[in-house]
Amino acid sequence: MSEPALRAEKLDAADELAALRDRFVLDTEADRGTDVAGVYLDGNSLGALPANVPDRVADVVRRQWGELRIRSWDESGWWTAPERIGDRIAPLVGAAPGQIVVGDSTSVNVFKALVAAVRMAGDSRDELLVDATTFPTDGYIAESAARLTGRTLRAVTPAEVPKALSERTAAVLLNHVDYRTGRLHDLPALTAAIHARGALAVWDLCHSAGALPVGLDEHGVDLAVGCTYKYLNGGPGSPAYLYVRSALQDRFDSPLPGWNSHAEPFGMSPVYTAAPGALRGRVGTPDILSLLALEAALEVWDGVSIAAVRAKSLALTDFFLECVRAYTEPGRVECVTPERHEERGSQIALRCPDAGEVMKRLIARGVVGDFRHPDVLRFGFTPLYVGFRDVERAARVLGDELV
């Protein structure tokens, strides 16, 4: 047995989160028809299935929908699901209850947050800043929000934000973790810089929530959005969430004032009156099947410390880089993820010229990561179910395929 493999066994034996793996449906040797289990390192695109979800969804479909039908809006708690599930997400992103509502997609919530931020900033501030390295959808939405509100949009890198800010700046949309490289941006410092110039900070948490501490309340973030199908394991297309800091909720003016965010949704008034609190972030009828699948999925976090998750995430990614260096020829791949812990999310991105073909071969051998155009191999490490032996095997197979 190789030295990295021996180290992996010792690290797994000492892992305080190892037992959480049993809360998920993962490949076994029997599933694959081999003597080696698969390694799932694509949790930053789609988290694994929590084992309790299928039975919960079956109950929602067969009993709550099939038997109770319309009564389930009250008797099964369907109506209050968006804010109830928001309160389950809140501790994972460092927020007190009553500030997160779940529903719609990340893109829709980015639109709500940006337009509302511009409205709160006032007419004298005529510029929006957006992360130039952002996931494309955030950029598209920011451009549309700027056109809609008559603002100018300027794309800058997170490092350029402090110097780019001015009295013209209404709001800044930033990603907490870069989706390609895994670089973790300095949310506390950037939020403070934005506030110092009188603007509002809007953060996209898609690649950080459930992988590392965020501290929304602690750092005074104004608005935040995030998806739930990555590190929160909510399932494909599971609804996103919107955070509105409590001090701003009475000023939050949504550009999508649907009936579900009305103060009296069943009054059917022709005049819109916003509901109090984070409920203003609701729009239309909640997508109950996905919402309740997500609610069940979030139970895997019961008793789990996000600090412990972060510690394991860093240990996993450190060990992966060590193993890659041990199993691959020098210079064959280049790590584009920062090695400094304070600048790293929970993924490792490796650059190589034939990355697309390499990833296909890795997946064929049961090591599932993903490819980012044009030359990046991306591996996401979900500490709740990824172990150190998984990491060692992934690096060893990668070394084989890079020969």
Side-chain angles (χ1 to χ4, degrees):
M1 185 178 288
S2 68
E3 190 276 335
L6 288 170
R7 283 199 59 216
E9 288 196 351
K10 291 179 181 178
L11 289 167
D12 276 335
D15 177 15
E16 65 177 287
L17 301 180
L20 297 176
R21 187 182 180 97
D22 293 338
R23 299 183 184 181
F24 293 87
V25 177
L26 298 166
D27 289 345
T28 65
E29 292 85 345
D31 294 329
R32 288 181 46 76
T34 69
D35 60 354
V36 180
V39 180
Y40 190 66
L41 298 181
D42 209 354
N44 53 335
S45 285
L46 178 65
L49 172 66
N52 65 319
V53 169
D55 286 346
R56 187 69 57 81
V57 171
D59 177 71
V60 172
V61 171
R62 292 174 180 159
R63 184 182 63 84
Q64 296 181 29
W65 178 12
E67 297 176 16
L68 295 178
R69 292 179 286 276
I70 197 71
R71 291 162 51 195
S72 275
W73 285 104
D74 291 322
E75 295 180 27
S76 300
W78 288 2
W79 184 258
T80 57
E83 57 268 31
R84 182 178 73 243
I85 300 169
D87 285 346
R88 289 212 68 145
I89 292 172
L92 302 180
V93 293
Q99 299 176 99
I100 295 179
V101 65
V102 180
D104 307 310
S105 66
T106 304
S107 301
V108 172
N109 284 318
V110 168
F111 179 74
K112 293 181 215 171
L114 268 185
V115 174
V118 169
R119 289 174 173 176
M120 287 188 278
D123 293 339
S124 64
R125 293 180 174 266
D126 62 357
E127 183 177 74
L128 276 173
L129 299 183
V130 65
D131 184 346
T133 63
T134 191
F135 188 76
T137 284
D138 285 20
Y140 306 155
I141 295 292
E143 194 277 332
S144 179
R147 281 191 290 114
L148 181 72
T149 59
R151 265 60 176 182
T152 300
L153 180 68
R154 186 152 56 109
V156 297
T157 67
E160 295 169 334
V161 164
K163 290 185 178 179
L165 291 162
S166 72
E167 286 72 23
R168 294 181 55 200
T169 310
V172 184
L173 172 63
L174 294 167
N175 283 259
H176 197 190
V177 173
D178 185 287
Y179 79 101
R180 285 176 299 256
T181 68
R183 177 179 289 276
L184 172 65
H185 298 301
D186 192 341
L187 180 148
L190 288 168
T191 300
I194 293 165
H195 287 167
R197 299 308 295 266
L200 282 83
V202 183
W203 285 91
D204 183 330
L205 310 178
C206 285
H207 286 270
S208 58
L212 53 91
V214 177
L216 292 178
D217 287 354
E218 177 185 359
H219 303 302
V221 168
D222 300 301
L223 299 146
V225 302
C227 65
T228 61
Y229 52 81
K230 299 180 189 292
Y231 295 109
L232 299 183
N233 310 294
S238 57
Y241 56 91
L242 171 67
Y243 164 90
V244 183
R245 182 158 58 92
S246 58
L248 299 178
Q249 288 176 0
D250 62 346
R251 297 169 52 206
F252 181 82
D253 182 6
S254 175
L256 298 172
W259 76 285
N260 251 244
S261 63
H262 198 285
E264 296 182 12
F266 295 99
M268 302 303 165
S269 170
V271 178
Y272 180 76
T273 303
L279 293 178
R280 293 182 177 206
R282 292 175 66 149
V283 183
T285 305
D287 43 352
I288 292 300
L289 298 183
S290 291
L291 269 172
L292 299 188
L294 168 62
E295 184 173 37
L298 290 170
E299 291 176 9
V300 302
W301 289 93
D302 290 348
V304 178
S305 159
I306 196 70
V309 168
R310 176 58 169 167
K312 183 177 175 182
S313 164
L314 292 171
L316 287 168
T317 49
D318 279 344
F319 187 54
F320 182 67
L321 289 174
E322 291 175 23
C323 291
V324 169
R325 286 190 284 265
Y327 289 131
T328 62
E329 292 294 325
R332 182 66 172 89
V333 294
E334 173 196 0
C335 181
V336 296
T337 302
E339 295 221 15
R340 295 179 65 212
H341 286 181
E342 58 267 36
E343 296 179 352
R344 188 195 309 165
S346 197
Q347 71 184 61
I348 295 294
L350 303 175
R351 177 174 289 134
C352 68
D354 51 346
E357 290 305 313
V358 170
M359 184 53 70
K360 289 178 184 177
R361 296 198 298 271
L362 289 176
I363 292 172
R365 292 187 61 182
V367 176
V368 181
D370 65 3
F371 163 66
R372 281 290 173 263
H373 186 80
D375 57 1
V376 171
L377 299 166
R378 195 176 70 152
F379 302 94
F381 297 81
T382 304
L384 299 188
Y385 56 77
V386 173
F388 292 90
R389 278 174 287 194
D390 295 326
V391 168
E392 185 274 335
R393 176 171 185 262
R396 179 161 36 87
V397 173
L398 174 63
D400 292 345
E401 295 302 329
L402 288 173
V403 172

